[in-house]
Amino acid sequence: MENSILTEQDREHLRHCVALAREALAAGDEPFGSVLVDASGAVVRADRNRIAEGDPTAHPELALVRWAIAHMSPQVRARSTVYTSGEHCPMCAAAHAWAGLGRIVYASSSAQLGHWLDSWGIPGPPVQVLPITTVAPSVPVAGPDERLAEEVRLLHARLHGIGGAEL
């Protein structure tokens, strides 16, 4: 992690992401949620995972990238931050960098998710799990947040029917 220092404002936005992940799970989807925040700290867009609708690329991070390209100038995009419940996958990290978005802050890391899935005997994703900094080395990142990561772990446990996953 390039920068693991999280502010209280960062945690507030991450809590919003975890709430969106909870909403995604309640809707029958995988628990991921993201928000796009402008330089003033205002949320300009929020989304949750929607892959259950049949598109395996319907990640909230990618939806925010597409929205930002259509609605924000390159200068505004560069000063924005994407907050997310889980670290960007390689597809989303690459799209983020290509779009010229700013900082990424995540509640739980890809390494944590991989460890959880492995410990539960659940197969990982169909692509190599890589840190954002490997895919998009110029994008500043912060995360994970250990307390919020535990909430995310419980959401994934519930998705996979793992016992003791009460929230």
Side-chain angles (χ1 to χ4, degrees):
M1 276 133 264
E2 204 169 283
N3 174 16
S4 58
I5 298 171
L6 299 175
T7 67
E8 192 48 44
Q9 182 178 357
D10 289 336
R11 286 187 178 89
E12 179 182 327
H13 290 305
L14 288 175
R15 284 189 286 274
H16 184 180
C17 294
V18 173
L20 289 165
R22 194 174 290 112
E23 178 185 312
L25 184 62
D29 219 320
E30 293 184 6
F32 292 96
S34 303
V35 297
L36 175 62
V37 175
D38 69 16
S40 75
V43 174
V44 294
R45 192 78 173 173
D47 207 350
R48 64 170 179 79
N49 213 28
R50 298 180 187 281
I51 67 169
E53 296 171 8
D55 178 355
T57 68
H59 298 187
E61 303 89 346
L62 192 54
L64 295 181
V65 164
R66 290 178 176 141
W67 186 91
I69 290 169
H71 297 93
M72 301 168 90
S73 71
Q75 296 79 16
V76 172
R77 289 196 306 263
R79 292 188 310 270
S80 67
T81 300
V82 173
Y83 292 88
T84 189
S85 60
E87 183 177 8
H88 287 36
C89 73
M91 172 185 71
C92 294
H96 183 104
W98 280 113
L101 286 162
R103 184 170 173 243
I104 297 172
V105 181
Y106 52 88
S108 63
S109 71
S110 296
Q112 287 173 309
L113 178 58
H115 174 75
W116 301 331
L117 294 174
D118 187 54
S119 72
W120 300 327
I122 308 285
V127 298
Q128 178 67 40
V129 175
L130 301 170
I132 293 165
T133 54
T134 298
V135 177
S138 64
V139 174
V141 300
D145 179 272
E146 293 308 318
R147 189 177 59 76
L148 291 171
E150 176 59 16
E151 290 184 43
V152 173
R153 185 190 71 78
L154 291 172
L155 291 171
H156 283 279
R158 211 160 57 181
L159 171 69
H160 295 291
I162 305 302
E166 297 302 317
L167 275 180

